[in-house]
Amino acid sequence: MTTPKKVLLLFRTGSSFALTSKEILEFENRYTVTIMDDPILTLMHIKDNLKFYDVIFLEVWLDKMDGITVLEWLVALKITTPILITSFHMTTENGKKLEQKGAFKYITCPPDIHDLMDTFQQAADYNQKLISTQTGK
């Protein structure tokens, strides 16, 4: 049995989408999910744990700081962890611009569950390849 991949979700407080995503991702024991709702605390947490997460998933509409600013900070930290970003309020065209800014993938809402799982797997696989390349394993 493989070790579950670690996922960090950054969503608004009480987001039902975050809770549902956590349930879906943890269903087959493929992922362990941490949900955070404070962008500033999350950035400090990630900075202190740069290599801990396999995938980061955040939404654009957050309290205190928007997800685009969080993405920009994560890119500035030069993290290699793939960042997935979503919004119920953006066009796909604007989502593609976030990919150009450094997001691994923009996920439209509401997502197809199979596409969501495939995207998480692609991001986790990408991260594993990066780690293998960096460590020579």
Side-chain angles (χ1 to χ4, degrees):
M1 185 174 188
T2 61
T3 304
K5 302 295 182 193
K6 295 174 204 73
V7 175
L8 174 66
L9 302 183
L10 175 55
F11 281 79
R12 283 172 290 164
T13 303
S15 167
S16 60
F17 182 70
L19 297 173
T20 302
S21 295
K22 178 179 170 67
E23 285 181 26
I24 291 167
L25 290 166
E26 290 184 336
F27 179 69
E28 293 179 341
N29 243 4
R30 291 168 52 192
Y31 301 94
T32 26
V33 178
T34 302
I35 298 177
M36 297 185 79
D37 60 10
D38 184 314
I40 297 164
L41 291 177
T42 301
L43 285 169
M44 291 188 310
H45 174 74
I46 290 170
K47 186 177 179 197
D48 293 339
N49 299 283
L50 282 178
K51 303 289 183 190
F52 186 76
Y53 293 101
D54 297 293
V55 180
I56 297 171
F57 186 32
L58 62 103
E59 75 172 314
V60 171
W61 193 313
L62 296 168
D63 301 324
K64 298 183 185 177
M65 180 187 298
D66 66 81
I68 296 168
T69 304
V70 172
L71 173 65
E72 290 167 347
W73 275 91
L74 292 173
V75 169
L77 286 172
K78 297 186 185 333
I79 68 162
T80 57
T81 305
I83 303 162
L84 306 176
I85 192 162
T86 192
S87 176
F88 284 91
H89 309 284
M90 286 184 75
T91 64
T92 302
E93 181 180 305
N94 286 333
K96 296 295 178 189
K97 290 178 184 174
L98 296 177
E99 291 174 2
Q100 293 168 352
K101 287 186 172 200
F104 181 80
K105 177 108 172 133
Y106 171 74
I107 298 173
T108 58
C109 281
D112 173 84
I113 189 168
H114 299 291
D115 290 344
L116 182 68
M117 294 302 291
D118 287 345
T119 302
F120 268 87
Q121 188 61 53
Q122 290 167 11
D125 290 348
Y126 174 81
N127 191 51
Q128 187 59 50
K129 286 179 189 172
L130 280 178
I131 291 169
S132 296
T133 301
Q134 291 170 350
T135 60
K137 295 180 182 178

